[in-house]
């Protein structure tokens, strides 16, 4: 069977207009700009406005159109849509099918939502790679679209300071025979022994949203920040090392490291363990905070569009999220 190499054909991103600064938060809850910057590196975050169409599918439409244009394709060239959304538009229909309609795609391509929390977009890359490699699909749109503001308890200083809304998208397709682009290696894992460190237990089949749930404030996420912090550092560093080794690349040969943007201290600790210089690490957590599965594709798109990432560069991307899901990808852009 003939196998194809997978190439990132185009990327796009969308950030909601509204900016919420640390100062804005400190006027509502007992926190300060300095505390948030010192513990997280976050200065501000974007928050979606439903009245402006900024929901997961709406943000995905804008990011996807940019990615499709950058790939020199039209929406009807897409033959599979995969969307990672920790909080989808609604349970049914899936966000990916709403996105198909919003993009004006009429070719009846299949649509699928996945939820692997902040690792969701990274989870989609090897899945799309396998399907492109074998020729099952030609142009796969993979999207991380996140509106965590909808389940962020804005009165809980332990969590609300951390998150922001955004969408990142990429079109993956076949590299032509004279091109070097390829996915070298990937790893996806889930350590369910750590699944209770980050949860949102109400709103699913087990616990419907009732007056009692609302009275107990159970409709929001809860997090054990220190446990997540430790697991994030060890897992992302180990995964990054492994995919680099499997790609047979030395650290010198890696041009850019794009980690999940959860907390600047996590990013720095992973960089130190993985031994990659800060000048090669792409960071935007200061401006956008943790945008869950949108964070890696948004950072990727930003660095491609501002010229830091160039064709032929070796990229290493890593993420972790609730579950505790995690993954890393090493590729030639
Ligand atoms: N402002 C001021 N003080 C605060 C705030 C705040 N926003 N939040 C907590 N504090 C207080 C605490 O109450 C505590 O006070 P105490 O000592 O009197 O009890 C003190 O600050 C220290 O709290 P810690 O939790 O020890 O602070 P830490 O240094 O661990 O930082 C943080 C907390 C930023 C949450 C950190 O643990 C972290 O980033 N963890 C990782 C979280 C993460 O990445 N989550 C995303 C997962 S990905 C996904 O799938 C969504």
């Amino acid at each position: 069977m003939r196998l194809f190499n997978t190439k990132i054909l185009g990327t796009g991103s969308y950030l909601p207009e509204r900016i919420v600064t640390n100062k804005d938060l400190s006027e509502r809850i007992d926190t300060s700009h300095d505390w948030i910057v010192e513990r997280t590196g976050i200065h501000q975050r974007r928050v979606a406005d439903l009245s402006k169409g900024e929901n997961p599918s709406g943000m995905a439409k804008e990011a996807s159109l940019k990615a499709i244009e950058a790939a020199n394709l039209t929406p009807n060239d897409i033959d599979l849509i995969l969307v990672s959304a920790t909080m989808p538009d609604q349970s049914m229909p899936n966000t990916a099918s709403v996105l198909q309609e919003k993009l004006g795609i009429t070719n009846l391509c299949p649509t699928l939502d996945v939820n692997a929390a902040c690792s969701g977009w990274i989870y989609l890359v090897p899945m799309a790679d396998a399907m492109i490699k074998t020729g099952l699909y030609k142009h796969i749109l993979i999207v991380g679209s996140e509106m965590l503001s909808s389940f962020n308890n804005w009165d809980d200083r332990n969590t609300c300071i951390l998150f922001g809304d955004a969408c990142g998208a990429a079109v993956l397709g076949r590299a032509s025979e004279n091109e070097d682009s390829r996915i070298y290696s990937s790893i996806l894992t889930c350590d369910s022994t750590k699944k209770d460190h980050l949860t949102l237990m109400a709103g699913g089949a087990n616990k419907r949203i009732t007056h009692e749930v609302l009275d107990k404030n159970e409709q929001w996420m809860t997090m054990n920040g220190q446990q997540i912090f430790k697991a994030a550092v060890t897992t992302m560093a180990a995964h990054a090392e492994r995919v680099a080794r499997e790609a047979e690349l030395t650290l010198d040969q890696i041009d850019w490291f794009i980690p999940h943007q959860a907390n600047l201290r996590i990013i720095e600790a992973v960089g130190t363990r993985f031994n990659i210089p800060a000048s090669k690490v792409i960071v935007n957590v200061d401006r956008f905070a943790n945008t869950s599965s949108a964070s890696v594709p948004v950072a990727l798109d930003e660095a491609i569009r501002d010229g830091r990432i160039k064709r032929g560069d070796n990229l290493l991307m890593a993420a972790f999220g609730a579950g505790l899901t995690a993954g890393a990808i090493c590729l030639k852009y």
Side-chain angles (χ1 to χ4, degrees):
M1 185 166 92
R2 182 169 171 210
L3 293 180
F4 301 93
N5 279 327
T6 300
K7 175 183 177 187
I8 297 177
L9 300 178
T11 60
S13 56
Y14 180 82
L15 278 307
E17 268 175 41
R18 186 176 160 215
I19 294 173
V20 174
T21 63
N22 294 343
K23 185 167 170 292
D24 295 332
L25 293 179
S26 69
E27 284 162 10
R28 183 186 173 110
I29 51 169
D30 182 14
T31 190
S32 67
H33 173 74
D34 290 348
W35 191 97
I36 299 172
V37 171
E38 188 192 317
R39 300 291 176 122
T40 71
I42 296 167
H43 290 239
Q44 59 182 48
R45 70 283 298 138
R46 302 293 181 100
V47 175
D49 181 345
L50 282 176
S51 73
K52 294 187 174 142
E54 291 177 335
N55 62 357
S57 65
M59 294 191 287
K61 175 190 168 189
E62 302 304 327
S64 301
L65 286 175
K66 289 182 198 159
I68 292 167
E69 188 188 14
N72 285 321
L73 297 171
T74 64
N76 265 316
D77 294 320
I78 299 299
D79 51 11
L80 174 63
I81 302 175
L82 303 173
V83 172
S84 158
T86 309
M87 179 63 79
D89 278 17
Q90 61 281 310
S91 300
M92 288 190 288
N94 65 11
T95 303
S97 50
V98 181
L99 178 59
Q100 187 203 60
E101 181 185 49
K102 287 188 176 174
L103 291 172
I105 294 177
T106 52
N107 62 13
L108 305 183
C109 71
T111 63
L112 178 71
D113 282 13
V114 303
N115 179 353
C118 302
S119 312
W121 189 85
I122 288 285
Y123 261 51
L124 292 177
V125 175
M127 294 175 189
D129 177 37
M131 292 189 273
I132 286 163
K133 243 188 194 119
T134 50
L136 194 57
Y137 294 102
K138 272 176 90 171
H139 301 127
I140 305 182
L141 176 63
I142 58 168
V143 180
S145 196
E146 299 283 13
M147 192 171 159
L148 297 196
S149 60
S150 61
F151 61 83
N152 206 357
N153 180 355
W154 294 100
D155 292 320
D156 176 9
R157 69 177 185 172
N158 292 302
T159 52
C160 79
I161 58 160
L162 297 173
F163 299 102
D165 300 333
C167 177
V171 179
L172 302 192
R174 291 176 190 173
S176 55
E177 271 170 17
N178 56 354
E179 287 176 321
D180 274 352
S181 300
R182 70 193 57 214
I183 313 273
Y184 294 118
S185 53
S186 63
I187 178 172
L188 302 178
T189 61
C190 174
D191 178 359
S192 56
T193 62
K194 298 187 173 61
K195 70 181 185 334
D196 296 331
H197 294 323
L198 185 52
T199 59
L200 200 183
M201 299 310 266
N206 279 345
K207 195 175 267 193
R208 308 284 286 273
I209 302 276
T210 59
H211 289 298
E212 198 189 344
V213 163
L214 296 177
D215 287 345
K216 289 186 186 160
N217 254 336
E218 289 176 333
Q219 73 276 31
W220 310 121
M221 77 175 100
T222 60
M223 184 182 72
N224 183 337
Q226 290 187 355
Q227 292 299 329
I228 294 275
F229 192 111
K230 283 185 217 157
V233 173
T234 47
T235 310
M236 279 210 292
H239 284 10
E241 265 165 35
R242 176 157 154 188
V243 290
R245 192 170 61 244
E246 287 179 359
E248 297 180 358
L249 293 180
T250 62
L251 288 185
D252 285 348
Q253 292 170 307
I254 291 168
D255 297 294
W256 296 104
F257 178 45
I258 312 175
H260 173 42
Q261 309 283 312
N263 180 323
L264 187 60
R265 283 161 58 215
I266 294 178
I267 294 172
E268 287 171 350
V270 172
T272 306
R273 270 183 187 233
F274 180 41
N275 210 12
I276 192 124
S279 57
K280 288 186 175 186
V281 183
I282 293 183
V283 175
N284 64 21
V285 67
D286 51 329
R287 287 170 293 135
F288 304 140
N290 178 349
T291 60
S292 190
S293 69
S295 98
V296 171
V298 166
L300 172 70
D301 180 54
E302 220 185 0
I304 289 172
R305 285 177 190 268
D306 69 20
R308 274 174 293 171
I309 294 180
K310 298 183 177 56
R311 281 287 170 203
D313 282 356
N314 291 321
L315 312 184
L316 202 155
M317 308 186 277
F320 70 94
L324 195 132
T325 60
I329 318 285
C330 196
L331 61 86
K332 184 175 277 294
Y333 173 61

